[in-house]
Amino acid sequence: MQLICGVHGVGKTVFAKKLCQKLLLEYYSASELIKKMAKREISDYKKVQHISDNQELLLAALSEMNDAQYILDGHLCLMNTQNKIERISYDIFQSMNIESIYIIVDAPEKIQHRLRNRDNQIWNLGFIASFQQEEFAYAKYLAKKMNIPLKIIYDNKEVAKCSFLEKENIILPIKPVFAEKILSGEKKYEYRKRLCKKKINKIYIYATAPVKMIIGEVWVVDKLSMDKEKLWQETQKYAGITKKFYDQYFEYQNCACAYRIGEVRQYRFPVALDSIGIEYVPQSFIYVGELGFVRTLVPRDSSKKKYILSRD
């Protein structure tokens, strides 16, 4: 069996049927097989009430098939009734005779546009991006664990990687008082005892309690790491904190670190972590892809010519 997977609206069915014609194989849809076995419709638009039960029905349907080789169009992750992204159990895939996995990917904006035109449904861009990241991560995990090939398909061609799947941003928890200083431009350095190892483009600002929301994003100009006294001398003008607070924070360290912040964008509507499929608050940071919350600039205060971004 060749398993074709990807998020809703990514175009996997079109690709799967073309691959069937090329390889002269039969095409099967996982959702259609489940419907036939259950003799009922899966309700509530893409939300699955009993994910494990449905997958057992799929296994039962596959066991009755006579085709030795075929292509199965399905998912690795699904959205449950609580709007959470849930991985289908590894045991389900282990029970299938999968020879290779094709993961179909596309830019979140294109997926959103396709879903709007096809189903008259408007999906949040951030959720689409998170859903695709999780589907992609699970595809890599399954391929490695099952020792089978993984083929990444973008724009109907096999590719080695896609830029929008690279984890090049982070969600960073910041106390609300400091988050506000960053958004106002008063604070242009975010001090940390350690920095993330990867090169990043942006920081999504997660304002901690009592806000508990992502309230904006900032571009990272540079990552600094040096003697703590030298760092203070270079950054104190836009530190956004007092020297006393700085010394207390780095009291037991000789080396200090900071993210140098560039362009700042504040969201008109803060974003909850669980709305993008993240169910826990990161202790230090968490890598994410391009969440794509925002699209258009909206004046916040025309007299001061400051702007914030509206969320889709």
Side-chain angles (χ1 to χ4, degrees):
M1 178 221 296
Q2 311 295 318
L3 178 61
I4 314 297
C5 59
V7 299
H8 303 292
V10 76
K12 63 183 181 300
T13 300
V14 173
F15 175 82
K17 290 184 176 180
K18 287 182 179 179
L19 188 62
C20 284
Q21 294 176 353
K22 180 180 178 180
L23 301 180
L24 301 178
L25 296 177
E26 289 295 322
Y27 166 85
Y28 294 98
S29 162
S31 60
E32 290 300 322
L33 290 174
I34 292 169
K35 287 178 185 179
K36 288 180 181 179
M37 289 298 293
K39 295 182 180 179
R40 60 178 170 80
E41 292 289 320
I42 297 176
S43 61
D44 194 17
Y45 187 73
K46 308 301 184 187
K47 297 179 184 178
V48 183
Q49 294 182 344
H50 306 291
I51 289 177
S52 59
D53 292 346
N54 284 338
Q55 300 312 309
E56 291 294 339
L57 290 173
L58 175 59
L59 289 180
L62 294 177
S63 69
E64 296 178 1
M65 291 171 53
N66 296 320
D67 297 298
Q69 288 289 335
Y70 55 90
I71 286 176
L72 181 66
D73 175 355
H75 297 279
L76 307 182
C77 304
L78 292 168
M79 181 171 60
N80 62 27
T81 52
Q82 286 75 47
N83 292 323
K84 307 291 185 183
I85 301 168
E86 184 176 329
R87 289 185 175 187
I88 296 170
S89 171
Y90 169 75
D91 293 338
I92 296 295
F93 297 108
Q94 192 178 34
S95 300
M96 299 178 183
N97 186 26
I98 303 174
E99 295 183 1
S100 60
I101 297 174
Y102 291 78
I103 176 78
I104 317 302
V105 299
D106 207 344
E109 292 83 0
K110 291 183 180 179
I111 296 172
Q112 184 193 54
H113 180 74
R114 198 175 291 124
L115 287 169
R116 182 187 292 123
N117 289 342
R118 189 188 75 183
D119 302 322
N120 197 30
Q121 295 281 338
I122 300 176
W123 286 45
N124 175 268
L125 270 176
F127 188 83
I128 293 172
S130 294
F131 205 155
Q132 182 161 246
Q133 285 280 358
E134 184 67 7
E135 184 92 352
F136 182 69
Y138 198 25
K140 291 197 295 183
Y141 170 83
L142 290 173
K144 183 177 181 180
K145 192 170 180 66
M146 299 169 71
N147 194 28
I148 57 177
L150 173 65
K151 300 181 180 182
I152 306 169
I153 307 299
Y154 172 63
D155 197 22
N156 290 316
K157 297 185 291 290
E158 186 174 353
V159 297
K161 63 179 183 178
C162 285
S163 60
F164 51 81
L165 289 173
E166 296 295 321
K167 293 190 173 183
E168 51 191 14
N169 307 307
I170 60 172
I171 295 175
L172 193 66
I174 301 174
K175 291 182 178 180
V177 61
F178 300 134
E180 287 299 325
K181 288 185 177 183
I182 290 173
L183 295 176
S184 70
E186 179 183 347
K187 182 174 170 61
K188 295 185 179 181
Y189 296 92
E190 175 57 23
Y191 299 102
R192 295 282 149 163
K193 293 177 181 177
R194 69 182 183 94
L195 302 172
C196 63
K197 293 182 179 180
K198 295 182 180 180
K199 182 179 179 181
I200 58 171
N201 290 331
K202 285 193 295 189
I203 292 173
Y204 293 103
I205 300 174
Y206 175 80
T208 56
V211 180
K212 298 182 180 180
M213 303 279 272
I214 299 175
I215 62 173
E217 60 189 58
V218 297
W219 270 252
V220 177
V221 176
D222 199 4
K223 295 195 295 184
L224 307 175
S225 180
M226 62 187 74
D227 175 81
K228 63 182 179 182
E229 290 303 322
K230 182 180 179 182
L231 182 64
W232 176 256
Q233 291 299 320
E234 291 189 7
T235 63
Q236 60 180 308
K237 183 177 180 180
Y238 292 103
I241 58 174
T242 64
K243 181 63 162 63
K244 181 179 179 180
F245 186 95
Y246 179 90
D247 288 339
Q248 288 176 341
Y249 182 69
F250 291 114
E251 183 176 3
Y252 300 107
Q253 292 188 220
N254 294 322
C255 181
C257 305
Y259 295 102
R260 182 183 170 197
I261 294 168
E263 183 181 350
V264 176
R265 292 180 176 177
Q266 181 177 351
Y267 299 154
R268 180 184 293 276
F269 304 106
V271 179
L273 289 178
D274 60 4
S275 72
I276 57 171
I278 298 175
E279 300 182 7
Y280 62 94
V281 177
Q283 292 299 311
S284 54
F285 64 85
I286 182 173
Y287 287 110
V288 292
E290 181 64 42
L291 297 183
F293 294 125
V294 292
R295 294 291 294 278
T296 55
L297 283 167
V298 179
R300 177 170 66 179
D301 186 337
S302 57
S303 63
K304 296 181 180 179
K305 295 185 178 180
K306 292 183 178 179
Y307 296 89
I308 61 175
L309 292 177
S310 65
R311 179 177 168 223
D312 288 307

